[in-house]
Amino acid sequence: MSTHEPAQPGPAGPEPVEPEADELHWRRVHPVTPLVRGWAVVGAAIVILGQQSLEGGPRGGLIALLSGEYWWTLLAALAAVALVGWGYSVLAWRMTSFAIGEETVHLRRGILFRQQRHARLDRLQSVDIRQPLVARFFGLCELTLETAGGTDSGVAIGFLKGSDADELRAELLARAAGLKVARAGGAVPAPAPDGTAAPQDAVLPAAPRPDGTHPAPEPGPAAAPGAPVTLEAPQVPVLTVPVGRLIASVVRSGAMITLLVWALAVVVVMFATGEWAVLSASLPAVLGAGGYLFGRLTGEFDFRVAISPDGVRLRHGMLETRSQTIPPGRVQAVRLVQSVLWRGRDWWRVQVNVAGYGGDSEDKNSVLLPVGTRDEALTVLSLVLPDLGVDEPRRVLDAGLDGDSRTPSAYVTAPRRTRILDPVAWRRNGFTVTGRALLLRRGRMVKILDVVPHERTQSLGLSQGPWQRRLGVASFQVHSTEGPVHPEAPHLDAADAARLMAEQARRARTARAAAGPERWMERQGE
């Protein structure tokens, strides 16, 4: 049996009024973009030609082909592919342009099939600046806007100079926050709701402190008419993940243990049978696991967290650097997870659901903290949910991270009769409700605590299998946007689950009705 109750959405805002497309100022991306994108085609061609030469070439493989009479054919084929790839990239560059309106970002692209995409700034979920390895040699970046339109709803503008990408990100975040950006580059506050003019001195709030409190803003001097005003909001560094801890966390991961066990088994079988073919047959699996671990290290290298009026700012990456900005209120759900191999160090990993990032459970965009101590994990949680709505938030969170049914707490836990369904973790399964969020915990070998703000509840569900019906229990789910966080409290008493579903639907409607506008600077100005 499965029931499903959607949370009632709030009133939709008015559609933005944009000028005609011909009235917008259309701009092209950097002219070196074709060279950066063309390298992907050349690299793929080198891999394919090398593989084909090794498999179907003359005896001796690629080296013999290059030293033979027809060596020039391989180089000519590679040059032809490079010319086609770069030529196509040049045409794509000429057909790509973007424009920034008051309420919307526009992107035109396509050679044979023309596309025009629009991203509403009031639906902006995050702004990312990505810098691949080849683009770093030219000082170029790609700017991506993720909107609340599901998977593949973002708009990618690339490539741009690093300074231009930073300025464009600041402008887009200022517009999304409710500031009016002048053509000369200045920013003035949006008009008041009653139609009165905004004051001349724009007051940008100072960056919030790591504990979530906001210092009082101080007005700056009035800018001269026509003078550019910086749009880059100040930021306060919160923490940096040490490289040694990141390496140790990867070594202590389940993927590394699996890789080592698999490699040991292959070596034992190889020496026992004397067949070296076992090594070549196992090579793809080893390369796959090794590639995953290498991606974890390079993708989360030098992970930095900061806070600003624009939201949470993340920066990480070794070969490809990525700067993310998640505006206030855009996080749909948060997960704190700890594997059994991290328990001795009390390390935790923090992941989030953000609309538009997609559903990859290990998506590097959805990591708020790759590995950190308990205090660091709770600090990062406070950046996206400063007020938990309870008098002693640390006690409630500690009970969610470590507690079970034997520990006195506010959590409603699964009944004892569910131990036949989950003999290891049945004491951990439970939930509690605070004034601002719903907290759900589960897992013993891998401890999980999911936190869902009431206003971000998308829909609710109950599921009950045959054994659950016989035992009078049911599993409760909160349906969030796509991402690594899937909030669930398994095997609750059926009466507790039904009551939680009804009350949480009411709380979600009330919280969404009381929530401020999507433009967070307008909310602060009320």
Side-chain angles (χ1 to χ4, degrees):
M1 180 186 69
S2 177
T3 60
H4 173 85
E5 179 175 339
Q8 299 297 323
E15 290 291 329
V17 179
E18 283 288 307
E20 297 293 334
D22 295 337
E23 300 177 5
L24 296 171
H25 175 58
W26 291 91
R27 292 177 278 176
R28 280 203 179 106
V29 295
H30 199 278
V32 183
T33 297
L35 184 61
V36 176
R37 297 195 183 279
W39 275 109
V41 179
V42 176
I46 292 175
V47 173
I48 294 174
L49 289 176
Q51 181 181 5
Q52 294 297 324
S53 300
L54 290 173
E55 293 180 355
R59 188 174 183 181
L62 183 61
I63 297 178
L65 181 61
L66 290 175
S67 59
E69 182 179 357
Y70 298 101
W71 59 269
W72 57 270
T73 58
L74 183 61
L75 299 182
L78 183 60
V81 171
L83 288 176
V84 171
W86 275 318
Y88 182 86
S89 298
V90 170
L91 291 177
W93 169 78
R94 290 185 60 86
M95 302 300 292
T96 300
S97 59
F98 68 96
I100 309 299
E102 292 293 331
E103 304 283 348
T104 311
V105 178
H106 306 262
L107 177 66
R108 289 174 173 174
R109 64 181 181 181
I111 300 177
L112 298 179
F113 301 96
R114 296 288 292 161
Q115 299 179 2
Q116 182 163 335
R117 307 190 71 172
H118 310 272
R120 288 180 53 177
L121 292 177
D122 60 342
R123 301 295 181 88
L124 186 66
Q125 301 297 308
S126 68
V127 181
D128 301 345
I129 295 181
R130 185 178 67 93
Q131 193 174 36
L133 181 61
V134 177
R136 293 173 67 178
F137 292 108
F138 300 96
L140 301 181
C141 304
E142 182 180 59
L143 187 141
T144 303
L145 289 81
E146 298 291 350
T147 59
T151 306
D152 196 29
S153 63
V155 173
I157 303 175
F159 285 87
L160 306 172
K161 288 178 56 178
S163 58
D164 294 339
D166 291 335
E167 292 177 3
L168 183 58
R169 175 180 63 178
E171 178 183 350
L172 296 176
L173 288 170
R175 292 183 184 275
L179 299 177
K180 298 295 183 180
V181 180
R183 290 184 179 275
V188 297
D194 58 0
T196 59
Q200 293 295 325
D201 296 343
V203 180
L204 291 178
R209 303 185 182 97
D211 60 0
T213 60
H214 291 262
E218 297 182 359
V229 178
T230 179
L231 299 177
E232 188 70 24
Q235 69 177 25
V236 176
V238 177
L239 60 89
T240 300
V241 177
V243 177
R245 183 196 298 169
L246 178 63
I247 296 175
S249 68
V250 173
V251 172
R252 288 169 173 257
S253 65
M256 176 63 75
I257 300 301
T258 303
L259 178 61
L260 294 178
V261 172
W262 178 268
L264 180 61
V266 169
V267 172
V268 171
V269 172
M270 184 178 62
F271 279 100
T273 61
E275 295 289 340
W276 290 87
V278 177
L279 181 61
S280 60
S282 304
L283 189 60
V286 174
L287 291 178
Y292 167 77
L293 296 172
F294 181 76
R296 281 279 300 272
L297 279 176
T298 57
E300 298 171 357
F301 179 81
D302 194 26
F303 201 99
R304 300 173 182 269
V305 182
I307 186 66
S308 78
D310 290 335
V312 180
R313 293 185 177 178
L314 310 174
R315 181 176 177 84
H316 51 93
M318 178 188 296
L319 302 180
E320 174 184 295
T321 60
R322 186 179 296 266
S323 299
Q324 301 173 244
T325 303
I326 305 176
R330 266 48 175 186
V331 172
Q332 307 291 321
V334 187
R335 165 172 293 179
L336 290 83
V337 59
Q338 181 191 65
S339 69
V340 67
L341 299 174
W342 288 7
R343 200 154 300 167
R345 299 290 184 91
D346 199 19
W347 287 342
W348 295 84
R349 182 177 178 88
V350 184
Q351 299 170 292
V352 293
N353 282 359
V354 176
Y357 270 163
D360 187 358
S361 61
E362 290 295 338
D363 190 351
K364 53 190 173 184
N365 291 336
S366 300
V367 176
L368 204 60
L369 180 66
V371 56
T373 63
R374 176 177 303 221
D375 290 338
E376 290 174 341
L378 297 183
T379 298
V380 170
L381 173 64
S382 70
L383 299 182
V384 296
L385 190 61
D387 181 17
L388 202 59
V390 67
D391 293 335
E392 300 182 65
R394 181 60 185 260
R395 181 179 60 82
V396 174
L397 292 171
D398 284 339
L401 297 176
D402 290 331
D404 54 28
S405 61
R406 294 169 294 188
T407 306
S409 67
Y411 282 78
V412 178
T413 57
R416 182 178 179 83
R417 60 182 180 274
T418 61
R419 65 186 184 276
I420 190 174
L421 300 175
D422 192 354
V424 176
W426 69 271
R427 294 181 182 273
R428 280 269 304 161
N429 300 333
F431 71 92
T432 190
V433 179
T434 69
R436 291 291 310 279
L438 171 66
L439 288 76
L440 306 101
R441 72 184 188 192
R442 65 183 185 276
R444 177 69 66 181
M445 301 299 293
V446 177
K447 293 183 177 181
I448 295 176
L449 175 65
D450 295 330
V451 183
V452 184
H454 294 321
E455 66 273 15
R456 297 302 170 186
T457 302
Q458 302 295 320
S459 63
L460 306 170
L462 289 179
S463 61
Q464 193 177 46
W467 280 102
Q468 289 179 313
R469 286 198 300 271
R470 185 177 182 87
L471 295 174
V473 297
S475 295
F476 172 83
Q477 299 94 17
V478 179
H479 302 145
S480 181
T481 56
E482 291 190 28
V485 186
H486 304 281
E488 180 183 10
H491 313 317
L492 298 176
D493 186 271
D496 292 337
R499 183 169 56 255
L500 174 61
M501 184 170 182
E503 293 178 353
Q504 184 61 23
R506 175 183 53 80
R507 280 188 290 264
R509 289 193 295 268
T510 303
R512 185 173 285 109
E518 294 293 337
R519 299 183 181 277
W520 58 94
M521 292 295 288
E522 290 181 354
R523 182 187 310 172
Q524 292 180 4
E526 294 178 354

